[in-house]
Amino acid sequence: MVNTRLLMVFSAVLMGIVGISLSFLPQELAEVIFNQSEGWAVLVLQILGAQYVAFGMINWMAKDNLIGGIYSKPVAMGNFLHFAISSLALVKAAAVQHTGYWIVTAIYVILACIFGYVFFTHPTKNASKS
């Protein structure tokens, strides 16, 4: 059984931290990631930060709902697709980059597996409220 409340809280906090970082430190992060601190990279990071904050807020607001099966299906599917598709991109990047990618990749792969399990199985009331 997966405690979906803890899963939703963890993913909401994770996405909130990433989103706030991208929103308020775009120049600094663009310098680290793209070796440029102005132009398109800053704009892309700010837009991505807004997406992460919004997705984190959705997860936070849905944390008390029964997640999985037919319940809150859009929330479960959105999280599963986000983490699964991002995991594929991160595995590809981690294969050619330094080891720092592997930590983020591991977190994303684990969350993709858990959200996949939640999405494709029938939930129980005890799993979300414990």
Side-chain angles (χ1 to χ4, degrees):
M1 295 288 165
V2 175
N3 185 329
T4 56
R5 186 174 200 287
L6 289 177
L7 177 63
M8 298 305 284
V9 168
F10 178 76
S11 64
V13 170
L14 176 69
M15 289 183 181
I17 290 169
V18 171
I20 289 169
S21 299
L22 290 170
S23 295
F24 290 104
L25 301 169
Q27 284 92 3
E28 294 80 0
L29 292 172
E31 183 65 38
V32 171
I33 298 169
F34 302 114
N35 292 325
Q36 66 180 40
S37 61
E38 56 187 48
W40 67 270
V42 174
L43 179 62
V44 168
L45 290 179
Q46 285 179 316
I47 292 170
L48 185 61
Q51 176 191 1
Y52 268 93
V53 169
F55 215 153
M57 185 57 66
I58 289 170
N59 286 350
W60 184 261
M61 293 178 75
K63 72 183 183 298
D64 292 323
N65 295 347
L66 192 59
I67 307 291
I70 61 170
Y71 306 103
S72 296
K73 198 163 195 81
V75 174
M77 176 56 93
N79 278 287
F80 171 63
L81 288 176
H82 167 76
F83 287 111
I85 294 168
S86 298
S87 292
L88 295 174
L90 285 166
V91 166
K92 183 178 177 183
V96 295
Q97 299 294 330
H98 56 81
T99 58
Y101 281 106
W102 285 110
I103 297 166
V104 175
T105 302
I107 293 168
Y108 265 72
V109 167
I110 290 167
L111 286 171
C113 291
I114 295 171
F115 273 110
Y117 176 79
V118 167
F119 181 75
F120 291 109
T121 60
H122 188 70
T124 62
K125 288 189 183 254
N126 292 339
S128 68
K129 299 294 183 184
S130 49

